[in-house]
Amino acid sequence: MVTTDEKGPLTAKKKSVIIRSCDGDEFLVSESAAVLSTSLKKILEEKEDRLIHLSDIDNKTLAMVIAYLSTHADDGLSDDLKRSFDQEFVSGKEFDVLKYLVLATDTLQVTCLCYTVAKKMADIMKNKLVEWVRREFDIQNDYTPEAEAEIRRLDAWAWDDRQLEDD
Amino acid sequence: MEKSAMAPKEDTESNLPYDIIRIILLRLSVKDLLRFKSVSKSWNTMISDLWFARMHLHESKHSDSHNLFLCEKSMEHGENRFSLVSLDGLKFQIEAELNSPVSGERLLCSCDGVMLLTSSYRTYTLWNPSTRTKVVVASRKCYTVCSCKNKSWTKRKQFSDSFVGRSPESGGVAVDGAIYWGSNRYSRTTNSYSREIIYFDARDDNFRILERPKNVNDYSYYLVCLRGCLRLYRRIRPYDVQIWIKEKGRDNNSWKELMIVENVKMPLSLFKPLYFVENKIVIRLDDRLYTTRFVVCNPCEKTFEEFEESKLSLEINLVPCQNSLFHFLALAPANTLANIYLVMLEWLSVVGRYGQIL
């Protein structure tokens, strides 16, 4: 399957690359969009190959990243429009989806998307309980109960809030 | 790519690598971070790290939505109350109500989220309202500039005898790890005063003079930090205010003219630019009857827009503040102490203003 990014006939004439996800689906992306990713840019500079296989990014995540890259490569869009696209892009997304996205931006080295997603994740983490964070980040509590109580005692005011959420 | 995404990383216990976790945590508020120290030992180590505190401060300074101010309210029964207020766009929001850490202390100035308080200029307290920590830094006996380098306070000489009456209208302005203020310089040869911009560079503990913008020779100009850059404003023509911007960086001392704000009829000392909202400036106007107004000024369209009636009208003091993790007890390595030290400098300039110094 080849999915084209949403581009008019003008940019379709430009050079494009095919990017394959770990699920095997292929995406046709304009080169100007692909090179916004530092990793893809390096690959394209090193070899002539127009097919890039990404073994660690799934379909859904890759499609989102490509939508982002294509929008940001569009010279016809003003910076303001791109900024509002960024806001729209991360709004309403689940924390899990954002985790995969932020990993993909790390692999592909798309710094500005990485920061946008990280900001959104931080916004979701606001007022969350420690237990929620451990669950979402898959972290084992390695404190002894006494050590944890001591840590909490030091900044007790940060805990004194009925707004803390667990979901 | 060889790496596999969701498989456990070697450098982390989590499903995300530390580098990414750090990028996310840098965008959290201090309150959330203090709580998340108890997620795990490695999170505690990361958040308590001084480099992290610096990066976090940098992040909160450069995010446009964070215009944090500490408001000092009028005294009630000798106790000062403070509120931490965020000004996001054109909205005021009270983030927290705080008690003064020490009874009867007044707010003097701030640097990197650390406030300097004093009670009748006898004792001085550093206070970080974000972490709610405080430390008493000096009493009146300690007159010279204190440097914390080499983990100890050492006395420093003052700038030069030819500078007198340090800063009549305000404490210093902290930008990019240096502190700037206007100071009057007396010249024996011409028997006259000029007003120079002095700055203190924490890298080598030295005072230097910053060149003023071209043709700015007048006596009354003001310094302010907006969007992380030093700005100078002064009156030109009867009702116009000219704003200059210094290029970023301590070593880049070039100025360029930023804009002209027209139709400013009140005295310049009552005109206080607070922060930018896109290309508009939010300005606080204090009039002589001690009422405070906030206006949004659009220099391009030459309009002034009144803020909605705000809850801040009774506040007597509004000091820029940052979401800062600086925790005095934890400050140890020499170069990271520059911040405390800069605050001490502001103290110097403030004390100088009351003629009690040296």
Side-chain angles (χ1 to χ4, degrees):
Chain A
M1 183 188 90
V2 170
T3 320
T4 53
D5 53 46
E6 288 161 23
K7 286 284 179 142
L10 191 79
T11 45
K13 285 178 202 152
K14 287 189 183 167
K15 274 208 238 168
S16 37
V17 258
I18 295 168
I19 301 175
R20 186 191 289 156
S21 74
C22 66
D23 309 321
D25 284 5
E26 291 175 356
F27 296 80
L28 188 66
V29 187
S30 73
E31 196 176 302
S32 62
V35 296
L36 292 180
S37 144
T38 311
S39 313
L40 292 180
K41 189 174 176 215
K42 271 186 204 144
I43 295 173
L44 289 170
E45 278 165 2
E46 280 164 17
K47 54 179 195 175
E48 287 293 296
D49 201 353
R50 296 281 115 184
L51 174 70
I52 299 171
H53 183 68
L54 299 172
S55 61
D56 55 359
I57 302 178
D58 63 80
N59 260 341
K60 197 175 147 197
T61 309
L62 186 58
M64 287 188 280
V65 177
I66 288 171
Y68 175 89
L69 294 178
S70 304
T71 306
H72 278 258
D74 189 343
D75 295 333
L77 293 177
S78 67
D79 288 348
D80 276 348
L81 279 172
K82 284 176 188 171
R83 257 194 297 276
S84 53
F85 169 85
D86 288 359
Q87 288 312 310
E88 194 65 25
F89 186 77
V90 289
S91 83
K93 285 200 169 44
E94 301 266 324
F95 201 74
D96 250 351
V97 174
L98 295 170
K99 266 193 288 188
Y100 281 100
L101 253 178
V102 82
L103 272 172
T105 63
D106 188 45
T107 309
L108 291 170
Q109 298 178 43
V110 191
T111 318
C112 46
L113 179 58
C114 176
Y115 291 164
T116 308
V117 176
K119 175 78 178 78
K120 178 68 186 173
M121 293 173 85
D123 289 347
I124 294 176
M125 289 166 76
K126 191 179 159 73
N127 287 331
K128 288 286 191 274
L129 285 172
V130 167
E131 289 73 17
W132 182 94
V133 175
R134 286 195 192 122
R135 222 170 30 240
E136 286 296 327
F137 285 86
D138 198 15
I139 293 171
Q140 289 297 315
N141 179 10
D142 54 1
Y143 282 114
T144 61
E146 296 77 36
E148 190 177 347
E150 177 62 17
I151 289 272
R152 292 191 180 210
R153 195 187 58 78
L154 285 176
D155 299 299
W157 68 271
W159 298 80
D160 183 24
D161 198 330
R162 271 151 281 173
Q163 292 174 332
L164 299 184
E165 303 158 12
D166 196 23
D167 49 35
Chain B
M1 314 251 138
E2 302 81 34
K3 288 193 290 181
S4 166
M6 274 314 202
K9 302 277 179 217
E10 280 164 21
D11 69 331
T12 176
E13 67 208 322
S14 160
N15 51 16
L16 290 177
Y18 273 132
D19 283 349
I20 295 185
I21 291 179
R22 189 179 290 113
I23 291 172
I24 299 168
L25 295 190
L26 284 172
R27 286 154 177 79
L28 281 167
S29 74
V30 169
K31 186 178 177 183
D32 289 316
L33 287 171
L34 293 179
R35 209 169 54 253
F36 295 160
K37 279 181 173 183
S38 57
V39 165
S40 73
K41 287 178 183 167
S42 60
W43 276 43
N44 184 18
T45 309
M46 191 192 294
I47 294 166
S48 308
D49 183 52
L50 277 157
W51 180 83
F52 184 88
R54 292 193 156 265
M55 291 297 291
H56 181 264
L57 182 70
H58 180 86
E59 199 57 51
S60 62
K61 271 185 184 172
H62 290 84
S63 83
D64 243 10
S65 60
H66 265 102
N67 293 297
L68 211 55
F69 290 89
L70 192 71
C71 290
E72 186 178 32
K73 293 186 180 172
S74 30
M75 295 239 218
E76 290 167 21
H77 316 295
E79 283 294 311
N80 271 19
R81 295 276 302 169
F82 295 95
S83 11
L84 212 48
V85 182
S86 70
L87 301 161
D88 184 4
L90 304 179
K91 286 246 168 12
F92 288 93
Q93 196 186 339
I94 295 179
E95 301 274 321
E97 299 273 4
L98 306 167
N99 284 321
S100 175
V102 187
S103 153
E105 301 253 310
R106 292 287 316 275
L107 188 52
L108 289 179
C109 50
S110 74
C111 174
D112 290 350
V114 177
M115 306 286 148
L116 183 66
L117 304 157
T118 185
S119 57
S120 58
Y121 304 97
R122 284 178 193 282
T123 59
Y124 293 84
T125 304
L126 288 171
W127 177 44
N128 182 342
S130 313
T131 57
R132 319 280 203 270
T133 50
K134 62 158 185 175
V135 62
V136 177
V137 289
S139 65
R140 206 169 173 178
K141 289 172 192 157
C142 178
Y143 277 149
T144 41
V145 178
C146 294
S147 158
C148 305
K149 290 203 171 160
N150 311 317
K151 297 186 190 178
S152 65
W153 300 87
T154 52
K155 288 185 176 177
R156 293 289 306 178
K157 282 187 213 147
Q158 64 164 325
F159 183 52
S160 154
D161 290 339
S162 60
F163 282 84
V164 289
R166 287 189 180 276
S167 184
E169 79 285 342
S170 68
V173 177
V175 191
D176 280 338
I179 200 144
Y180 299 83
W181 66 92
S183 191
N184 304 334
R185 183 187 216 179
Y186 173 68
S187 159
R188 281 214 181 96
T189 45
T190 60
N191 189 23
S192 62
Y193 288 96
S194 61
R195 190 159 166 75
E196 304 287 348
I197 305 170
I198 307 182
Y199 68 102
F200 181 83
D201 192 332
R203 286 173 302 190
D204 57 3
D205 295 359
N206 268 322
F207 293 92
R208 295 197 173 82
I209 294 180
L210 173 68
E211 286 278 320
R212 285 167 293 172
K214 238 182 176 176
N215 302 326
V216 176
N217 302 315
D218 48 326
Y219 212 73
S220 69
Y221 53 77
Y222 296 83
L223 300 174
V224 65
C225 174
L226 296 173
R227 261 191 196 145
C229 289
L230 185 71
R231 325 267 168 152
L232 176 148
Y233 58 99
R234 62 166 190 150
R235 192 177 289 284
I236 53 165
R237 298 185 289 273
Y239 296 126
D240 296 348
V241 175
Q242 180 189 44
I243 303 182
W244 292 81
I245 176 170
K246 188 182 92 66
E247 297 289 344
K248 273 201 84 60
R250 254 175 292 186
D251 299 315
N252 191 343
N253 290 341
S254 53
W255 291 92
K256 66 173 190 243
E257 191 185 330
L258 183 71
M259 58 173 71
I260 303 255
V261 181
E262 294 184 5
N263 214 14
V264 178
K265 292 193 175 141
M266 73 284 301
L268 212 51
S269 56
L270 308 176
F271 171 95
K272 291 171 184 151
L274 292 179
Y275 61 96
F276 272 94
V277 180
E278 286 155 14
N279 58 349
K280 292 176 246 173
I281 319 175
V282 176
I283 298 166
R284 171 184 173 161
L285 305 172
D286 294 322
D287 74 24
R288 292 179 198 282
L289 298 166
Y290 300 103
T291 56
T292 298
R293 289 187 304 142
F294 295 89
V295 295
V296 187
C297 158
N298 186 336
C300 308
E301 293 166 15
K302 300 175 186 172
T303 55
F304 282 95
E305 205 182 304
E306 286 279 336
F307 242 62
E308 54 181 292
E309 189 61 41
S310 90
K311 294 174 198 156
L312 297 178
S313 52
L314 291 172
E315 259 66 70
I316 53 174
N317 205 350
L318 199 60
V319 173
C321 185
Q322 273 96 30
N323 222 320
S324 159
L325 276 168
F326 286 122
H327 193 294
F328 314 110
L329 305 173
L331 292 175
N335 58 351
T336 57
L337 285 170
N339 291 286
I340 284 199
Y341 176 23
L342 287 177
V343 181
M344 287 304 292
L345 235 111
E346 287 194 82
W347 165 69
L348 174 82
S349 70
V350 170
V351 175
R353 161 184 162 199
Y354 290 89
Q356 296 168 340
I357 197 155
L358 305 169

